[in-house]
Amino acid sequence: MNSSNTILNVDLISLSRKNIVYNPTDLTDTAGKTNIIATTYNSGFPLSHDTYNGMYAASDGNIYYVLCSESISEGGKMYAFNPATNKIIFCGDLTEICGEKGLNTIPQGKSHVVFIENDKKLFFATHIGYYTYDNGMEIKGIPPDGYKEYPGGHLLCYDLETKEFKNLCTAPEKEGVLTMNMDVQRDLIYGITWPKGYFFRYDLKKNEMKNFGLVSSDGENGIGENFRALCRSIAINPDDGTVYFSISEGRIVCCKVGSDQLEVINEEDLKKDYFGCYNPSSPGHMGYNWRQIFWYAPHKCFYGVHGNSGYLFRFTTHDNKIDLITRLTSIPSQRSGMYDQFTYGYLGFALGPDQRTIFYLTGAPMYENGMRVIGKLNSVKGEAKGLEHLHLVTYDLIDHKYQDYGSILFNNGESPLYVNSIAVGLDGKIYFMGRITENGSTRIDLISIHNPLFPEA
């Protein structure tokens, strides 16, 4: 029996109760390597739920992160971890920071964006965490008796020196902020809202909001042919300030500095056979959207990853050209030839402090009795359809070297689950958030591993 081509369909809930064993000697060429052992932390927030992005390694040495909440009564919390003292500091409650404590509105449950640092300040945004489900789809939560509708996500600023928050503005149309990036040279913040997908620009100096309207049909609020998965990462060229984002059909849209118009790039798109074949109006995947992307100054281009396929690509803006580089998925995933189980792809993709190494936290298939375990294939939600082992993969942009460092495990042999964040610290550790089961209960919390490229102390 060829284990890499045999599939066992199981329900995700029942799978989580099984002890699935990872056998590296059968499935990867990392046999003989020691597994990466992860350290867990307890922030003291029992309601914490899956976090997407929402963390940053700041210049003050701290790791800042948000633990999300799906509760109707309690919002997300922001924390700082100090590696020097090994202590966690509570920074604030998102709902209270936004001035909405005691108003009985649906709370600010999440921060879905990567923090941006500028002038010793962190800029980020809030998102709704309380949902109503309609035919398996997440929609904005319908307020129960005694509660008011969600007031919209906020753009926020946190001063690293004074430890004070500033509430900048509210997102258009009372939507949550799904995606955000900042042009730090021009003090312009750009974002995409959820669920409908309004693209906006906020001028920090002028305190001025510009709503460009819907960018991809009716976004994730759409029904049938009007549904479109929304882009999770906005790209900004710091040299000229041009902003780029993708849409699920594969087209790339840009907004130039000083312009109030969005333009579609006609010379190139992301609709590549290597990425797979997608119906953009079908839920449960990101289509041809890029998943995560960043500007790389030495090469004057962007590097990004396509979520479902895990392909690393380069986007050069002087000629609007996309070049595929390599598949960044784990070696077990490459050998199986299958997509990873997290259908939107993994968000733990970032450039390291050495300014040459991409760090990627991605999945590896689990096997039971020689058969690959996958979850249900008919889910319409962009979530994990089955459990996977977590691997650390790096790619050197100078030497063009790929490395899979193998499976990340807790001391009890279990894998961190639902990992979609990353912060590469200067202290020689890599931080992320994921599901941790301890003493019979499961929470989302901070996790760290040693950076294999960092000299041992």
Side-chain angles (χ1 to χ4, degrees), residues 74-376:
E74 194 165 358
K77 317 292 184 188
M78 178 174 161
Y79 299 86
F81 172 71
N82 186 331
T85 63
N86 208 40
K87 291 184 178 180
I88 294 173
I89 305 159
F90 174 70
C91 297
D93 176 279
L94 297 185
T95 304
E96 185 174 358
I97 294 166
C98 294
E100 295 164 3
K101 182 179 179 180
L103 300 183
N104 285 341
T105 56
I106 289 178
Q108 302 292 339
K110 294 183 177 183
S111 181
H112 207 305
V113 304
V114 177
F115 289 74
I116 306 296
E117 182 173 349
N118 186 35
D119 193 26
K120 299 295 183 180
K121 296 179 178 64
L122 297 183
F123 294 85
F124 64 110
T126 63
H127 187 42
I128 187 172
Y130 177 78
Y131 303 116
T132 297
Y133 291 89
D134 184 7
N135 293 321
M137 296 289 295
E138 290 176 341
I139 63 174
K140 285 176 66 176
I142 299 173
D145 290 343
Y147 283 86
K148 304 170 187 175
E149 67 177 333
Y150 182 63
H154 291 246
L155 301 186
L156 300 175
C157 172
Y158 178 73
D159 193 306
L160 295 175
E161 295 179 340
T162 67
K163 314 301 182 186
E164 295 177 346
F165 288 94
K166 185 177 181 180
N167 183 8
L168 301 176
C169 67
T170 306
E173 305 296 332
K174 295 184 177 181
E175 298 226 320
V177 181
L178 180 70
T179 313
M180 192 203 88
N181 202 351
M182 182 176 183
D183 182 344
V184 296
Q185 298 180 26
R186 299 165 183 84
D187 285 331
L188 299 173
I189 297 175
Y190 297 87
I192 298 173
T193 69
W194 184 91
K196 292 184 178 180
Y198 294 93
F199 180 77
F200 67 83
R201 177 186 65 218
Y202 175 71
D203 189 317
L204 193 63
K205 293 177 180 177
K206 298 179 181 179
N207 188 27
E208 183 177 277
M209 171 68 74
K210 165 66 179 178
N211 181 2
F212 290 76
L214 298 177
V215 295
S216 191
S217 192
D218 289 333
E220 295 175 26
N221 196 65
I223 303 298
E225 291 299 316
N226 293 322
F227 175 88
R228 296 292 187 277
L230 297 166
C231 182
R232 262 61 173 181
S233 184
I234 291 173
I236 300 177
N237 182 340
D239 292 342
D240 61 14
T242 304
V243 178
Y244 302 86
F245 62 90
S246 63
I247 58 177
S248 58
E249 289 91 341
R251 293 194 293 274
I252 301 172
V253 181
C254 73
C255 180
K256 297 176 181 177
V257 170
S259 172
D260 287 341
Q261 301 295 324
L262 299 178
E263 304 175 24
V264 175
I265 293 175
N266 294 316
E267 299 94 326
E268 181 63 287
D269 60 41
L270 292 161
K271 192 174 183 180
K272 309 296 182 186
D273 291 345
Y274 275 36
F275 290 166
C277 182
Y278 308 98
N279 175 1
S281 63
S282 175
H285 56 77
M286 288 295 294
Y288 297 99
N289 273 304
W290 59 53
R291 182 61 167 156
Q292 195 76 280
I293 194 167
F294 62 81
W295 173 256
Y296 188 58
H299 293 172
K300 296 291 183 182
C301 70
F302 295 102
Y303 284 97
V305 65
H306 176 257
N308 292 86
S309 65
Y311 262 98
L312 176 69
F313 65 88
R314 176 176 53 241
F315 173 35
T316 50
T317 58
H318 69 275
D319 57 1
N320 290 330
K321 185 179 180 182
I322 298 285
D323 292 304
L324 270 61
I325 299 173
T326 190
R327 195 173 178 211
L328 276 191
T329 50
S330 67
I331 290 174
S333 288
Q334 293 182 32
R335 289 192 166 182
S336 75
M338 308 292 285
Y339 287 152
D340 290 339
Q341 290 287 279
F342 196 87
T343 53
Y344 275 13
Y346 292 93
L347 284 166
F349 171 91
L351 181 67
D354 64 356
Q355 296 299 300
R356 63 181 289 170
T357 305
I358 292 174
F359 290 83
Y360 190 41
L361 296 171
T362 185
M366 289 184 176
Y367 289 81
E368 185 179 18
N369 300 323
M371 303 174 71
R372 186 186 186 207
V373 182
I374 67 171
K376 292 183 177 180

Side-chain angles (χ1 to χ4, degrees), residues 56-58 61-63 83 352-354 359 422-431 449 451 454:
Y56 181 72
N62 290 339
I63 306 299
D354 64 356
F359 290 83
I422 190 169
V424 185
L426 297 174
D427 63 331
K429 291 183 179 179
I430 299 169
Y431 297 87
I449 58 173
N451 184 345
F454 197 91

Side-chain angles (χ1 to χ4, degrees), residues 395-433:
Y395 186 83
D396 190 310
L397 291 170
I398 306 300
D399 293 339
H400 308 290
K401 180 182 177 181
Y402 163 96
Q403 179 69 52
D404 181 353
Y405 287 91
S407 192
I408 299 171
L409 300 174
F410 298 130
N411 279 321
N412 62 6
E414 295 182 355
S415 295
L417 302 175
Y418 285 74
V419 174
N420 274 286
S421 56
I422 190 169
V424 185
L426 297 174
D427 63 331
K429 291 183 179 179
I430 299 169
Y431 297 87
F432 53 92
M433 289 173 284

